Amino acid sequence: MKIAIDAMGGDQGAAVMVPGVLKAKQKYPHLEFILFGDEKEIQTYLPNPVEGIEVVPTTEVIDYEDEPVRAVRRKKDSSLVVAAKSVKEGQADAILSAGNTGALLAAGLLFIGRISNIERPGLMTTLPVVKGEGGVDFIDLGANAESKPEYLNDYAVLGSTYAQLARGVKNPRVALLNNGTEKTKGNPLTKEAYQLLSENKEINFIGNIEAREILNGVADVVVADGFTGNAVLKSIEGTALSVVRLLKQNILELGLRGKLGAVLLGPAFKKLKAKMDYTSHNGAVLMGVKAPVIKTHGSSTVDTIVACIEQIEAMVDGEVIPHIVHDFEQKENML
Amino acid sequence: MKIAIDAMGGDQGAAVMVPGVLKAKQKYPHLEFILFGDEKEIQTYLPNPVEGIEVVPTTEVIDYEDEPVRAVRRKKDSSLVVAAKSVKEGQADAILSAGNTGALLAAGLLFIGRISNIERPGLMTTLPVVKGEGGVDFIDLGANAESKPEYLNDYAVLGSTYAQLARGVKNPRVALLNNGTEKTKGNPLTKEAYQLLSENKEINFIGNIEAREILNGVADVVVADGFTGNAVLKSIEGTALSVVRLLKQNILELGLRGKLGAVLLGPAFKKLKAKMDYTSHNGAVLMGVKAPVIKTHGSSTVDTIVACIEQIEAMVDGEVIPHIVHDFEQKENML
């Protein structure tokens, strides 16, 4: 298995991507990597050649500020574009980037391509479940600002396949994000999607879920239109951050007493942080394209990179994509 | 000023509503109240008549499980319906209920009625701002599952008027909830709404806001379509609750050390709780109808009821509704 790495993406670029790959390589010696990016920068962190880690020099970088589609079309020698093309051409099996999300999605669609009969791939992440262990696959996080009921039906199959084969969840419970749990609830999109999901025999559909229940472990997969999914994900991130920040500030105001209390409760805070910081457990996957396309947070650490590489391995080992291809091949092309 | 109280709504009904009214009456002797509900139950908490607190016996109750519109039409002698009708007939100036949200919205629309030229009233709450003091008015929380750009434009004026006159915010900053801050972002609805808001001279429109920024005090009013607003509100509530619950559990696992730390940090936790529990500061207002219609949480306490009555007073004192009526009167009827 060979993984294409956009070594220039993320807040720290090669300074995190290369050490991340080195750590993963030590842990999983059978994995191979191709690092795409500025040769000199990569060499700073990889002074001597390592077997199984190839370096492909590129001269351009796509920034966060770049307009995604235009950047992907124009910056032909960017680390991201050349990495995506290497997957297209079969030199690598998957791509990992910490760069511009929109550009990675565009490159994934443009170069790696949609799986037949999947009209709109969706972006998915695994959120932590607050009660007990495990996670919930939440899709679409905003790959599409506009959705149709059919997309949501596809997301259900994509998320369910991932939960089953990459996360080992048996008969994953799939729920539809809606504004109430009753089946009559919703806007026209979710009402129609509810109908399609109820009739879909490939999934274990358990009905509607409200946003406040997402983290409570009542479903293994939650499907949403990309606009709402995006807003919900950002609300979860923003609120978790706000609560922690507010508590920190309140503790500081207590002076010495606060410091002492914080030391005593240190392990509890640490555990909370580890649970809520889901970006350190996995990246977001563009589900519905012909290879694993993984986006990790711009602020990723070395360990995040290792976690994303483990995620790619789980996807490839579980044969997630071949299963999806097979599933959707059998469908009539409705486009 | 006379306020109609649905004394039967909420998890505890009259046991909270009546003491809440009594406490408010003591604090604000000039306010008058009409309690609607089961006479005997009300008398339990109000054994002797109090001047300025009238009791109107009703025989029916709308439950949480009732289908809202049907319940409002059929349960003609329910506390909620009779209370709403008293506002319609001018016997009271405002209504407060802790009962079935949908039924209160339906009663508000059906009996109290829309203000001319406002096609779809929206549900609004004031969320706490995490940095510093103050709040942000978030509208629509889900009065309408389907929205049009024009509704969002109306919400902006409604929220802005409320922020200015009931909360005393000068020149309130109005933002549009969207999937990115750039003005080109969004789905067709938000793109069109952006255009309308930019051209709206009655408001101080500052552009798009992402869901993760809502609590950060960058806007005084945030407008959203009801479906997304509902999902975002529930995500904020759910996440805040999850984080606190998770932390509590982690602290418990620390045993004695955890107990000691929790005692030391007690004031910091208490302050966090007070800030995040915005339902104790105010209720949700159905903005766009001809009188204040306030929905408070089913689990409201006596102090929540007092806070909601203060909110009604602020709305009436600030002449929020007369201003809205005047604003919208001047518009051509576009319906």
Side-chain angles (χ1 to χ4, degrees):
Chain A
M1 192 192 311
K2 202 178 264 184
I3 302 169
I5 306 285
D6 167 15
M8 308 308 282
D11 302 346
Q12 297 181 74
V16 162
M17 299 307 291
V18 179
V21 165
L22 286 170
K23 188 167 180 184
K25 178 72 186 163
Q26 195 175 51
K27 213 168 162 186
Y28 308 101
H30 65 287
L31 295 181
E32 294 183 16
F33 299 91
I34 317 179
L35 298 169
F36 296 83
D38 182 274
E39 198 171 14
K40 229 176 131 183
E41 263 193 67
I42 292 175
Q43 276 169 354
T44 308
Y45 308 101
L46 185 74
N48 300 308
V50 171
E51 215 195 298
I53 303 183
E54 194 183 329
V55 176
V56 174
T58 56
T59 56
E60 289 176 293
V61 173
I62 294 178
D63 296 319
Y64 289 127
E65 289 72 31
D66 280 324
E67 197 286 308
V69 177
R70 195 187 307 160
V72 165
R73 291 191 189 277
R74 294 201 183 163
K75 292 190 168 175
K76 290 192 203 305
D77 199 41
S78 60
S79 52
L80 175 56
V81 166
V82 184
K85 281 188 176 162
S86 79
V87 178
K88 176 193 180 181
E89 287 154 10
Q91 290 147 15
D93 303 297
I95 175 171
L96 172 63
S97 175
N100 183 316
T101 308
L104 180 63
L105 298 189
L109 291 171
L110 205 61
F111 302 123
I112 298 170
R114 289 185 291 111
I115 290 169
S116 292
N117 297 330
I118 297 180
E119 202 176 336
R120 293 290 185 98
L123 194 62
M124 189 190 84
T125 197
T126 309
L127 295 169
V129 159
V130 169
K131 293 178 189 161
E133 293 304 306
V136 51
D137 293 309
F138 188 35
I139 178 171
D140 172 33
L141 307 177
N144 304 290
E146 267 184 277
S147 274
K148 291 181 185 171
E150 293 76 19
Y151 305 171
L152 272 66
N153 198 26
D154 287 351
Y155 299 155
V157 176
L158 296 172
S160 192
T161 309
Y162 182 91
Q164 205 170 342
L165 302 176
R167 296 204 295 119
V169 180
K170 277 181 196 157
N171 198 24
R173 299 157 300 167
V174 179
L176 171 67
L177 184 70
N178 212 336
N179 61 353
T181 51
E182 305 88 334
K183 68 186 221 178
T184 53
K185 281 277 184 175
N187 57 20
L189 174 66
T190 54
K191 281 178 186 169
E192 273 188 64
Y194 188 99
Q195 201 54 40
L196 291 177
L197 292 166
S198 310
E199 291 161 6
N200 188 338
K201 284 174 188 152
E202 292 175 74
I203 55 161
N204 171 19
F205 181 54
I206 59 163
N208 290 324
I209 189 172
E210 289 193 89
R212 70 161 69 84
E213 295 293 333
I214 294 178
L215 304 180
N216 286 345
V218 291
D220 302 299
V221 177
V222 173
V223 299
D225 69 277
F227 189 85
T228 312
N230 188 270
V232 165
L233 180 73
K234 287 173 181 166
S235 303
I236 292 175
E237 290 176 344
T239 308
L241 207 67
S242 292
V243 171
V244 170
R245 201 183 285 150
L246 201 56
L247 186 59
K248 223 179 227 175
Q249 188 191 309
N250 293 351
I251 292 173
L252 274 174
E253 285 169 11
L254 289 177
L256 193 62
R257 173 180 179 168
K259 270 183 200 159
L260 190 58
V263 168
L264 285 169
L265 297 189
F269 287 124
K270 209 171 167 183
K271 209 170 158 189
L272 176 74
K273 192 166 179 283
K275 174 73 108 174
M276 294 311 294
D277 185 17
Y278 66 89
T279 57
S280 69
H281 307 307
N282 70 103
V285 193
L286 182 61
M287 295 293 292
V289 291
K290 292 175 182 159
V293 172
I294 313 284
K295 165 67 173 74
T296 178
H297 224 270
S299 57
S300 288
T301 62
V302 165
D303 286 334
T304 318
I305 305 305
V306 175
C308 288
I309 289 167
E310 283 169 350
Q311 185 183 9
I312 291 172
E313 210 205 359
M315 277 188 79
V316 176
D317 273 358
E319 298 183 333
V320 172
I321 289 174
H323 271 89
I324 292 172
V325 170
H326 180 257
D327 267 4
F328 280 85
E329 244 172 19
Q330 301 174 338
K331 292 183 189 173
E332 233 177 294
N333 196 325
M334 295 176 294
L335 312 189
Chain B
M1 194 190 313
K2 203 178 262 185
I3 302 170
I5 306 285
D6 166 14
M8 307 308 282
D11 302 347
Q12 297 181 73
V16 163
M17 300 307 291
V18 178
V21 165
L22 286 170
K23 189 167 180 182
K25 178 72 186 164
Q26 195 175 51
K27 213 168 162 185
Y28 307 100
H30 66 287
L31 294 181
E32 293 183 17
F33 300 90
I34 316 179
L35 298 169
F36 297 85
D38 182 272
E39 197 170 13
K40 228 175 132 183
E41 263 193 67
I42 292 174
Q43 276 169 353
T44 308
Y45 308 101
L46 185 75
N48 301 309
V50 171
E51 214 194 300
I53 303 183
E54 194 183 330
V55 176
V56 174
T58 56
T59 56
E60 290 177 293
V61 173
I62 295 177
D63 296 318
Y64 290 127
E65 289 72 32
D66 280 324
E67 197 287 309
V69 177
R70 195 186 308 159
V72 165
R73 289 191 191 279
R74 294 200 184 164
K75 291 190 169 174
K76 291 193 203 304
D77 198 42
S78 61
S79 52
L80 175 56
V81 166
V82 184
K85 281 188 175 162
S86 79
V87 178
K88 177 193 181 183
E89 287 155 10
Q91 288 146 16
D93 304 297
I95 175 171
L96 172 62
S97 174
N100 183 318
T101 308
L104 181 63
L105 298 189
L109 291 170
L110 205 60
F111 302 124
I112 298 171
R114 292 185 291 108
I115 290 168
S116 292
N117 297 330
I118 298 180
E119 203 176 336
R120 294 287 186 101
L123 193 63
M124 189 190 84
T125 197
T126 308
L127 295 169
V129 160
V130 169
K131 293 177 189 161
E133 293 304 306
V136 52
D137 293 309
F138 189 35
I139 178 171
D140 173 31
L141 307 177
N144 303 290
E146 268 184 278
S147 273
K148 291 183 185 168
E150 293 76 20
Y151 304 170
L152 273 66
N153 198 27
D154 287 350
Y155 299 155
V157 175
L158 296 172
S160 191
T161 308
Y162 182 92
Q164 204 169 340
L165 302 176
R167 295 203 296 119
V169 180
K170 277 182 195 158
N171 199 24
R173 298 157 300 165
V174 178
L176 171 67
L177 184 70
N178 211 337
N179 62 353
T181 51
E182 306 88 336
K183 67 185 220 179
T184 54
K185 281 278 184 174
N187 57 19
L189 174 67
T190 54
K191 281 179 186 168
E192 273 187 64
Y194 188 99
Q195 200 54 39
L196 291 176
L197 292 166
S198 311
E199 291 161 5
N200 188 338
K201 285 174 186 149
E202 292 174 75
I203 55 160
N204 171 19
F205 181 55
I206 60 164
N208 290 324
I209 189 172
E210 290 193 87
R212 71 161 67 84
E213 296 293 332
I214 293 178
L215 303 181
N216 286 345
V218 292
D220 303 300
V221 177
V222 172
V223 299
D225 70 275
F227 189 84
T228 311
N230 188 269
V232 164
L233 180 73
K234 287 173 180 165
S235 303
I236 292 175
E237 290 175 343
T239 308
L241 207 66
S242 293
V243 171
V244 170
R245 202 183 284 150
L246 201 56
L247 186 58
K248 224 178 227 174
Q249 187 191 311
N250 293 350
I251 292 173
L252 274 175
E253 284 168 11
L254 289 176
L256 194 62
R257 174 180 178 167
K259 269 183 201 162
L260 190 57
V263 168
L264 285 168
L265 298 189
F269 288 124
K270 209 169 166 186
K271 208 169 160 187
L272 176 75
K273 192 166 177 283
K275 175 74 109 173
M276 294 311 293
D277 185 17
Y278 65 88
T279 56
S280 69
H281 307 307
N282 71 103
V285 193
L286 181 61
M287 294 292 293
V289 290
K290 291 175 183 160
V293 172
I294 313 285
K295 166 66 173 78
T296 178
H297 225 270
S299 58
S300 289
T301 62
V302 165
D303 286 333
T304 317
I305 304 306
V306 175
C308 287
I309 289 167
E310 284 170 348
Q311 185 184 9
I312 291 172
E313 211 207 356
M315 277 188 79
V316 176
D317 272 358
E319 298 184 336
V320 172
I321 288 174
H323 270 89
I324 292 171
V325 170
H326 180 257
D327 268 4
F328 279 86
E329 243 172 20
Q330 302 175 339
K331 293 183 190 175
E332 230 177 295
N333 196 326
M334 295 175 296
L335 312 188

